[in-house]
Amino acid sequence: MSFHNLQELRHSASLANKVFIQRDYSEGTTCKFQTKFPSELESRIERTLFEDTVKTLNNYYAEAEKIGGQSYLEGCLACATAYLIFLCMETRYEKVLKKIAKYIQEQNEKIYAPRGLLITDPIERGMRVVSFPL
Amino acid sequence: MHLGVSESMRECEYSQISTRSSTPMETPYKKRTPKKRKWESFPGRNKFYCDGRIMMAKQTGVFYLTLVLILVTCGLFFTFDCPFLAQTLTPVIPVIGGVLFMFVLGTLLRTSFSDPGVLPRATPDEAADLERQIDVANGSTGYRPPPRTKEVVINGQTVKLKYCFTCKIFRPPRASHCSLCDNCVERFDHHCPWVGNCVGRRNYRFFYMFILSLSFLTIFIFAFVITHIILRSHQTGFLNALKDSPASVLEVVVCFFSVWSIVGLSGFHTYLISSNQTTNEDIKGSWSSKRGKDNYNPYSYGNIFTNCCAALCGPLPPSLIDRRGFIQSDTPQLAPPTNGITMYGATQSQQSHMVSESETESVTKTSAFRAPNSFYRPPPLLSSSSKAPSPSS
C-alpha cells in the first residue's frame, strides 16, 4: 500500500462518516473499549479481525494501567525524587502508548487501509472512542 | 521528502498524530501560515502559561495568597528562628525544615500547574453520532430533550453516567464537570482555590502530598518556634524574648490557624484515599450505606493498603488535551452547539470561523447555546481543501 493512498485516506477521513467504538465501563474506570461489532462495518471488514484489534488494544491499555509491583516501584521512585525523574525517564503509560501507536499504524497499513478504513488512535479523541472513518 | 521549512514538520507519509510533537500537514505549494498551539483555542476557562506548559484555573488570586503565606512564614522561620535553634539545639533542624519546605513547594506547584485530567470536548462527529444514538433511543423531538443518562453496571453496582451538555459527551464514571473551569475532569475530586486548579485524577496524589507535607511543615514550624521562644525566655525573660524575635509571633499565629484546617484536611483525604472515594462522592453520599442496603463503592479494592497504593503509587495517565500540539486544519474542531438540530458529517468543522480576539474573551457561560463564533479558529489555509466560512446559525 503506497503512502499516497493513506495520505488521501487521512485527508478525506475528516470529511467522511465515522463509526465510533465507545468505552466499556463495566470494569470500572480502566480504559477498555467495547468489542461489539458495529453494523456499519458489516460489509467492510471481518468480525474476527475487528474484534482482535479491539481486544489487543484493550490488553495494551490494561498493561498501561496495571497496578502491581512495577507501577508501585515507579511511583515510589518518582515520589522520592520529587518527580524530577520524569524529566529523563518516560512513564510506563507513555511507553505503552507509543507501543499502541505503532500497533495501530501497523494494523492500518496491513489490514484496514486495504479495505478503505482507518483507525484513529484513541488518545487523539480523549481515550473516549476508537473512531473508524469510513 | 521534506515539505516545509520548519524543522518540526515531518515527512508527508502516513504517520500517527503524535501527542508529543507537532505534525502540521502542509503541502509544498501552501504558504507557511503561523501555527497556533491547541492551548490557544482551548474551550475551557483555564489560563495557560509558558506556551502551554502550565495550566491553571481562571481565578488564581488565592493561589498567590497560599504561596505568599508559605514563603513568608518559612522565610521568617529560616531567617529568625533557625540560627538560634541551629546554635542551641542542632543544625539538623534547619536542614529538615529546608527539605520539608522544598517538598511542599514542589508538590504545590505540581498540583497547581498540571492538567488535572481534563477530558477534551467531543468533536462534531462524535457529538453528532451520540445525538443520533440518543434520538434513536428516545424518538426524535424538535426541542432539547430531557437530561440524558446511561446506566452501566460496574462490579455489580449500577452507576448512572450523565451526559454533559457543555462537553457533549457521556461523562465516564467518577468524572464531573467543573463549573469554574468549565471542563469535565476525570475522577473529579474538587476545585481547590488555594491551589488555583481542579484536583482530579492526574494531580490528586500531588495534592495529597502537598497537604500532608504542609501539615508536617506547619507542625514543625509551630513546635520549633515555640521551642525557640521558650529557650530564649530562659535566657532573657519572656517579654524580652518576644521583643528580640517579633517574627516568631507572626509565625505562631499563622501556624496556629493553619494547623487545624490543614491537618483536618489531611485526615479527611487520608480517609478518602483509604476508601477510594472522591470528595465529590463523599459529599453526595454516593456510596454511603444510608442510600440503600446494597450500596457499596464499586471502585474500592477491598483493603486500605491497596486503595492507598492505587491512589498514590498507581500509574500516572498522560494528559488527554495535548495543549502544546499544533492545530491542524484538517482535524475536526469542537462541536458547535446543536440547539436540538443534529448535524451529520464533519463539513461544519471544516469551515473556519474567523473571530476576533475580543469575541473569544466574551465566551458566554451557558452550555449548549454557546455562540458559534466564540472560539478562535486558525485562519484558513490557502488551499482548495478549505471551504468558505459559513454564516453563523
Side-chain angles (χ1 to χ4, degrees), chain A residues 6-17:
Chain A
L6 285 169
Q7 184 72 334
E8 279 157 21
L9 258 178
R10 208 171 184 93
H11 271 302
S12 64
S14 32
L15 302 170
N17 273 328

Side-chain angles (χ1 to χ4, degrees), chain B residues 7-28:
Chain B
E7 72 265 68
S8 61
M9 293 188 191
R10 297 277 174 82
E11 291 182 28
C12 182
E13 60 180 16
Y14 177 70
S15 60
Q16 290 296 312
I17 295 175
S18 163
T19 51
R20 297 269 169 277
S21 57
S22 55
T23 53
M25 309 278 274
E26 284 196 358
T27 51

Side-chain angles (χ1 to χ4, degrees), chain B residues 258-286:
Chain B
S258 318
V259 90
W260 301 110
S261 44
I262 293 176
V263 171
L265 196 62
S266 306
F268 175 61
H269 277 280
T270 309
Y271 157 71
L272 287 181
I273 283 185
S274 58
S275 60
N276 203 329
Q277 286 185 85
T278 62
T279 306
N280 207 18
E281 286 165 357
D282 187 71
I283 289 178
K284 288 193 201 155
S286 308

Side-chain angles (χ1 to χ4, degrees), chain A residues 3 6-7 10-11 14-15 18 20 25-26 28-29 64 67 71-72 83 93-94 97 105 108 124 126-128, chain B residues 12 14 17 20 110 120-122 125-126 129 153-154 169 172-173 206 301 309 313 315 318 320 330 346 350:
Chain A
F3 67 78
L6 285 169
Q7 184 72 334
R10 208 171 184 93
H11 271 302
S14 32
L15 302 170
K18 294 185 183 168
F20 293 100
Y25 292 118
S26 59
T29 52
I67 302 175
S71 72
Y72 289 156
Y83 297 94
Y93 212 112
E94 285 165 358
L97 285 179
Q105 183 171 2
N108 271 332
E124 296 168 28
M127 297 292 220
R128 210 164 30 231
Chain B
C12 182
Y14 177 70
I17 295 175
R20 297 269 169 277
R110 189 79 202 238
R121 300 203 181 172
D125 310 306
E126 232 187 292
D129 190 65
V153 178
I154 299 175
I169 57 169
F206 307 123
Y301 292 93
C309 287
C313 305
L320 297 175
D330 60 348
Q350 296 306 304

Side-chain angles (χ1 to χ4, degrees), chain B residues 168-185:
Chain B
K168 301 206 185 333
I169 57 169
F170 274 101
R171 281 185 219 128
R174 312 193 95 176
S176 191
H177 190 94
C178 175
S179 46
L180 289 161
C181 302
D182 205 25
N183 293 315
C184 271
V185 179

